Amino acid sequence: MIGILVSVINGLLLGSIYGLAAIGLTLIFGVMKVINLAHGAMIALGMFALYFLATSGGMNPYLALPLVAIGGFVGGVAVYWIGVHRVIGRAELMSLLATFAVSMIIIGLGTALWSTSPYNVQINIPGVAIGNYTIPGNHLVAAVIAILIAAALYLFLFYTRLGKAIRAVASNRQAAELMGIPSTRVLAIAFGIGIGIAAVAGALIATLFPFTILSGGGYELKSFVVTVLGGLGNPAGALLGGLLLGFIEGVVSPFVDVSWTPVIEFSLFVVILIAFPMGLFRVGRGK
Amino acid sequence: MSETILKVEKVEAGYGEVQVLWGTSLEVPGGHLTTIVGANGAGKTTTLRSITGIVKPTSGRIIFEGEDVTRLPTHAKAELGLVLVPEGRQLFADMTVEENLEMGAFGARARAHYDRNLERVCHYFPRVKERLQQKAGTLSGGEQQMVAVGRGLMAEPKVLMIDEMSLGLSPLLAQQLFQTLKELRDDGLTLLLVEQNVHLALALADYAYVLAEGKVHLEGPAQEVSHNDEIRKAYLGL
Ligand SMILES: Nc1ncnc2c1ncn2[C@@H]1O[C@H](COP(=O)(O)OP(=O)(O)OP(=O)(O)O)[C@@H](O)[C@H]1O
Ligand SMILES: [Mg+2]
């Protein structure tokens, strides 16, 4: 019994990071209707950024997180101007192809530079014991950080002028322009924030598990599942969706082999798509 | 006659292959209420879109306060004081009324007058004041129109353009809103109004342009235009 409880707790901790990763994806979609297929590659870059800051840079991994976020933001703004700006408002296939191309370039470069053998970041934080089980300390810290970042994003979007401008552009870009909001700049910033969040999510994952340049792919897929659970374009729903996905993983993992997890997750994904096409959680979106 | 603040010079514009405006020219004097009327599809909305830069003119110029602003992006024109309340309200539906008004005052110039303008909006539209915390998308059509005009006022406009303000409103509410515009004009605001309701528009305006097929077909003091036989037949049903 305690084994299942611990498994569920671990699942929820991990779920908060799935949620954070998905927030990066859903924010970009919600604001500019672009499905960012470079999402996984950005997560992987976040992992490597943390690795190099912690090893070559000799930084405490947690103190390196803000740098990863800033790097992700700057890189995201650059990707926006180079690859995304031109395809905004065009057919969806265009932005899919553009972001897919960015993904291929990053994965290709990453493979050439760092091969595909696993890296890992050493972290030693005492865990919390429950009976004979231990909840690892790095998982607890990562979950707390993920939730804090999600909360900070919420406060930013709802209580700052720039955050509100992002929501205004998401709601009606033309009206935003008519009110004096420089919408292109706002889109670039929103894209940068989405990528920054994806990179930090990747960095947090790197504090938990070994990774390669290809590791982002699995989290990208999970982000899609989470996003569908939470409702596309809905950051608050994404966090809840992440927690739900983590919960489900926690519940099933004591009973089935890990290779079944994606089967279960994606069956769920299809069922939810059919039954609740708007997502399970219509939070913070009015109506 | 007061000074011209906004001038549209022989503007041609359209959508892709379809040309809509064929050399439209008009002038808006400061502190006056000017109206553009005309049949459906005449190009009234396209004229306002060309002024604000949502549609890029293929030739001709937009002169604002003596400067050529034809090529400026839309948000830069809003920042200068060229503000459009668009057809169909276009509120930020899932944001609150207060947030909508705040976004109206996004630019630095507008933000400096935020408190005064908010007071002004609440004074003219007490209904809006009661609903500041409500999501804009859940308001009634009339209330949404008040928020749209209010949001435009928050932008500290030098020229406030309103496209089809009376569309979908009860005659009483339309009358009230027009009364409000008159007060704003008397306060010194420059207005450019596009209206379906030709009666009300001509009764209120100082000067009127009649647009037909993308060109100015006729113009004059609103009084004279409303007595023009052709206009009476075509637009006023008399
Ligand atoms: N986005 C668009 N794409 C293509 N054609 C358009 C577009 N918007 C308007 N048009 C065309 O341009 C012409 C002029 O339209 P416009 O909206 O300027 O007319 P209007 O005078 O405002 O009419 P109404 O009184 O019906 O609002 C119409 O023939 C219309 O079909
Ligand atoms: Mg129109």
Side-chain angles (χ1 to χ4, degrees):
Chain A
M1 213 32 232
I2 288 205
I4 298 177
L5 179 69
V6 168
S7 172
V8 166
I9 292 174
N10 277 327
L12 286 173
L13 296 179
L14 215 47
S16 63
I17 299 168
Y18 298 160
L20 183 65
I23 285 174
L25 186 73
T26 208
L27 177 71
I28 289 173
F29 179 81
V31 175
M32 59 202 88
K33 301 290 168 284
V34 166
I35 294 176
N36 176 25
L37 290 184
H39 184 63
M42 298 301 180
I43 291 175
L45 280 186
M47 295 170 169
F48 277 91
L50 188 81
Y51 174 82
F52 288 115
L53 287 169
T55 56
S56 322
M59 289 183 77
N60 175 314
Y62 295 114
L63 297 181
L65 287 174
L67 289 183
V68 175
I70 292 167
F73 175 81
V74 172
V77 170
V79 167
Y80 177 85
W81 284 114
I82 296 165
V84 179
H85 174 58
R86 274 166 264 267
V87 297
I88 296 271
R90 307 268 292 276
E92 264 149 39
L93 184 63
M94 299 288 287
S95 60
L96 285 175
L97 290 174
T99 56
F100 186 65
V102 171
S103 171
M104 294 311 282
I105 293 169
I106 292 172
I107 302 268
L109 280 175
T111 308
L113 289 172
W114 307 314
S115 81
T116 53
S117 42
Y119 286 70
N120 80 77
V121 175
Q122 279 299 327
I123 290 201
N124 294 308
I125 295 181
V128 174
I130 303 182
N132 293 329
Y133 300 89
T134 307
I135 310 256
N138 51 346
H139 285 238
L140 276 171
V141 173
V144 169
I145 293 174
I147 289 172
L148 287 179
I149 295 173
L153 177 72
Y154 177 84
L155 294 177
F156 168 72
L157 288 176
F158 282 82
Y159 294 99
T160 69
R161 182 164 154 272
L162 180 57
K164 289 176 195 180
I166 289 176
R167 286 164 56 221
V169 171
S171 168
N172 190 327
R173 183 174 179 187
Q174 195 170 84
E177 275 283 324
L178 286 172
M179 293 304 123
I181 300 175
S183 63
T184 307
R185 225 173 304 161
V186 168
L187 288 184
I189 290 170
F191 197 85
I193 292 173
I195 299 298
I197 288 174
V200 168
L204 286 174
I205 294 164
T207 65
L208 311 180
F209 308 116
F211 56 89
T212 74
I213 187 69
L214 302 175
S215 299
Y219 293 97
E220 177 169 329
L221 291 177
K222 281 191 207 293
S223 293
F224 281 119
V225 178
V226 166
T227 297
V228 166
L229 284 172
L232 212 52
N234 175 359
L239 186 62
L240 291 177
L243 290 171
L244 180 61
L245 187 69
F247 175 80
I248 293 166
E249 285 185 8
V251 170
V252 302
S253 66
F255 302 104
V256 300
D257 191 80
V258 283
S259 50
W260 279 92
T261 316
V263 179
I264 294 168
E265 278 174 12
F266 282 90
S267 307
L268 184 79
F269 178 78
V270 173
V271 170
I272 301 239
L273 265 184
I274 295 168
F276 305 96
M278 304 304 285
L280 294 178
F281 313 110
R282 305 277 295 144
V283 216
R285 292 236 97 199
K287 280 167 256 181
Chain B
M1 193 72 194
S2 62
E3 237 174 280
T4 298
I5 179 166
L6 171 68
K7 208 174 192 175
V8 175
E9 282 182 3
K10 301 200 188 91
V11 162
E12 303 195 8
Y15 306 90
E17 300 284 286
V18 188
Q19 185 163 351
V20 175
L21 300 184
W22 299 85
T24 308
S25 296
L26 48 92
E27 290 189 18
V28 179
H32 285 218
L33 201 163
T34 308
T35 188
I36 305 175
V37 298
N40 293 119
K44 306 182 294 294
T45 296
T46 307
T47 302
L48 297 184
R49 285 186 178 149
S50 303
I51 295 172
T52 52
I54 293 174
V55 167
K56 305 279 175 226
T58 48
S59 76
R61 298 197 306 168
I62 311 292
I63 309 289
F64 178 60
E65 293 190 311
E67 306 267 339
D68 184 343
V69 298
T70 318
R71 301 279 149 216
L72 285 187
T74 302
H75 64 86
K77 292 186 184 180
E79 177 85 58
L80 289 178
L82 267 177
V83 176
L84 171 65
V85 176
E87 200 172 10
R89 295 153 198 151
Q90 312 284 340
L91 296 180
F92 306 121
D94 42 19
M95 298 174 75
T96 65
V97 168
E98 191 172 18
E99 287 174 329
N100 269 272
L101 297 177
E102 249 182 279
M103 288 299 103
F106 186 85
R109 207 174 47 86
R111 213 163 352 126
H113 299 104
Y114 183 81
D115 292 331
R116 177 175 59 81
N117 281 334
L118 187 61
E119 212 167 277
R120 182 160 74 152
V121 170
C122 291
H123 164 75
Y124 284 119
F125 307 112
R127 283 283 277 283
V128 169
K129 188 180 178 181
E130 289 163 22
R131 299 184 181 267
L132 286 175
Q133 298 314 320
Q134 198 172 325
K135 290 252 159 69
T138 65
L139 298 176
S140 76
E143 289 165 345
Q144 288 194 21
Q145 193 57 273
M146 295 183 211
V147 175
V149 174
R151 188 179 61 175
L153 285 172
M154 293 302 292
E156 185 70 16
K158 289 183 185 159
V159 177
L160 185 64
M161 296 169 273
I162 310 182
D163 197 353
E164 310 285 16
M165 185 176 72
S166 69
L167 202 68
L169 301 186
S170 70
L172 182 66
L173 186 55
Q175 193 98 43
Q176 280 174 5
L177 280 178
F178 272 99
Q179 197 52 45
T180 302
L181 295 187
K182 207 164 165 180
E183 288 173 33
L184 285 166
R185 191 263 324 264
D186 294 341
D187 266 1
L189 184 65
T190 308
L191 288 138
L192 176 59
L193 228 57
V194 160
E195 258 305 324
Q196 289 280 327
N197 192 329
V198 179
H199 253 301
L200 268 178
L202 291 180
L204 188 74
D206 301 303
Y207 200 85
Y209 288 89
V210 180
L211 217 60
E213 292 171 3
K215 272 194 210 127
V216 174
H217 174 68
L218 198 136
E219 65 178 279
Q223 281 284 322
E224 284 175 26
V225 171
S226 66
H227 290 114
N228 179 298
D229 278 341
E230 185 195 352
I231 300 301
R232 285 164 68 92
K233 274 197 207 98
Y235 300 105
L236 299 174
L238 298 173

